[in-house]
Each structure stands twice: as C-alpha cells, then as structure tokens.
Amino acid sequence: MTEHTQKTIQTKKALTVNEASEYTGIGRNNLRKLITWQKIPVIRIGNKILIRSEVLDQF
C-alpha cells in the first residue's frame, strides 16, 4: 500500500471491504463473514458495502 493510499484510507468516513481489509489487516473473506454474521454493522448502497471507519476502530 502506498503512502498516499494509506493517508486517503485514514481520512475516509466509510471504507469498502477491500479498503477495510487493508486498514485493519483482516482478510476480505473474514470481513465478509463478520458482515454476514452481523458482527460489524455496514451501510449498503446497491451492491456496494461500506463500513464506517469508527466501527473498525472500535472493533
């Protein structure tokens, strides 16, 4: 991950699953399982899944 990408992710309010994976170090598949099990609340816009960065910090 480049320094620019890292700074961009840190300033976003909501992250995609891929971005959240990079941000937390948790694999994409494991994040998707946590979402399916409703352990992490998400925002769904169409097919897009967004996770608030505050939620990830608390998790």
Side-chain angles (χ1 to χ4, degrees), residues 6-38:
Q6 193 173 24
K7 285 182 182 180
T8 303
I9 289 175
Q10 290 175 349
T11 59
K12 284 187 167 185
K13 299 284 185 192
L15 306 172
T16 64
V17 173
N18 288 341
E19 292 170 337
S21 176
E22 290 180 19
Y23 182 72
T24 61
I26 300 172
R28 290 186 316 241
N29 290 336
N30 286 332
L31 276 175
R32 290 182 196 281
K33 285 179 187 177
L34 291 169
I35 292 166
T36 301
W37 296 335
Q38 297 180 353

Side-chain angles (χ1 to χ4, degrees), residues 13 39-42 51-59:
K13 299 284 185 192
K39 300 292 182 185
I40 297 178
V42 297
I51 307 167
R52 293 179 57 196
S53 55
E54 294 172 359
V55 170
L56 293 172
D57 291 337
Q58 291 173 359
F59 189 75

